[in-house]
Amino acid sequence: QVHLVESGGGLVQAGGSLRLSCAASGSIFSIDVMGWYRQAPGKQRELVATIHSSGNTNYADSVKGRFTISRDNAENTMYLQMNTLKAEDTAVYYCRAERVKTGALAVYRDYWGQGTQVTVSS
């Protein structure tokens, strides 16, 4: 089993910064893609950013130029540096690990974290 734990959320004023972390633990052989998603009240969960094990990244248009995703493959940890935060960034932020293998011959599985609240006051 693999567990994802997010941290770093909180309350910040508009224009401020936060850094989210996601630590994956368990019997991990490899993780192809890690990503951040968010869900605001009354809205569907949406992609924020993803990063492949190769380092390739993908961002939602709404966060390009303000957020930076990174990961430490050796530590199975992922980060999201969020700058110039806006009120519309307020949401629960979820960590996702895609195409995770727990062994060389294991099947791929995807996992979600429990989420961390980010609140931006205007």
Side-chain angles (χ1 to χ4, degrees), residues 20-56:
L20 304 183
S21 299
C22 171
S25 63
S27 181
I28 298 171
F29 178 76
S30 64
I31 303 176
D32 277 7
V33 180
M34 297 188 78
W36 290 99
Y37 292 74
R38 67 186 182 187
Q39 188 166 19
K43 295 187 176 181
Q44 289 189 328
R45 193 172 297 189
E46 63 177 5
L47 174 108
V48 176
T50 60
I51 182 166
H52 192 270
S53 56
S54 64
N56 288 338

Side-chain angles (χ1 to χ4, degrees), residues 15-93:
S17 298
L18 280 176
R19 189 188 193 215
L20 304 183
S21 299
C22 171
S25 63
S27 181
I28 298 171
F29 178 76
S30 64
I31 303 176
D32 277 7
V33 180
M34 297 188 78
W36 290 99
Y37 292 74
R38 67 186 182 187
Q39 188 166 19
K43 295 187 176 181
Q44 289 189 328
R45 193 172 297 189
E46 63 177 5
L47 174 108
V48 176
T50 60
I51 182 166
H52 192 270
S53 56
S54 64
N56 288 338
T57 58
N58 178 53
Y59 293 91
D61 288 343
S62 59
V63 307
K64 282 180 181 177
R66 300 188 298 122
F67 291 9
T68 302
I69 190 171
S70 60
R71 66 186 278 184
D72 182 332
N73 290 331
E75 298 294 329
N76 293 317
T77 303
M78 173 180 63
Y79 306 95
L80 185 68
Q81 178 65 42
M82 305 186 293
N83 298 327
T84 320
L85 282 161
K86 305 175 181 180
E88 50 263 43
D89 294 319
T90 295
V92 177
Y93 283 70

